[in-house]
Amino acid sequence: ESYKRSDFKAAVTRGVNKNSGPFTFDFYHRLSQVQLELIAGDDIMLEDLLDAEITLKNVITDGFYSYTGGNPDQVTAGTTIADIIPCGALHMQDDRVVGKKAILIPQTLTATSILEIRIGSTVITSNFTNQLTLNSGESTMLSITINREGLIYFVLDSDW
């Protein structure tokens, strides 16, 4: 439970020695954030989306970061595959429902990764056939239009 809102930041400072005097560290996000916004399609009521249960299925959930070698700006994805339930509380904002996000290991979501949204007894899924690359230190907004026949999502970059 305590790791639901976890993040990982790191700072690298080069060219510093014991005679350099005071210096500051600039910390940067090393994981990737995915924010979700839900838009009601023709046959869905916006209010119904407030009860949506969202799962990102078949995503990489482990990774490695080296402080001493390799690329210090990057987390390397591991091999453990599992499902992630985004954290947060859904609420209405204008003509959409927002409030859920997930912090993930940087990776490329492919056709084997699935976005599942459950509204009552209806389960709607979509895989990432177009591939979605989640980069270290970046936030990605998935803007998802939901119809009973399926999901249509658009990827938008956002600040983190």
Side-chain angles (χ1 to χ4, degrees), residues 5-12 25-35 64-65 67 71-76 101-106 134-140 158-160:
R5 298 182 188 269
S6 295
D7 190 5
F8 173 61
K9 289 185 174 184
V12 175
F25 285 107
D26 293 322
F27 286 86
Y28 298 96
H29 295 279
R30 297 300 184 212
L31 299 179
S32 183
Q33 177 177 255
V34 175
Q35 299 180 74
F64 309 93
Y65 182 83
Y67 288 96
N71 183 349
D73 297 327
Q74 187 172 339
V75 173
T76 303
K101 65 181 175 182
I103 305 293
L104 298 172
I105 297 292
L134 304 175
N135 294 313
S136 178
E138 293 182 7
S139 182
T140 301
S158 59
D159 292 332
W160 188 17

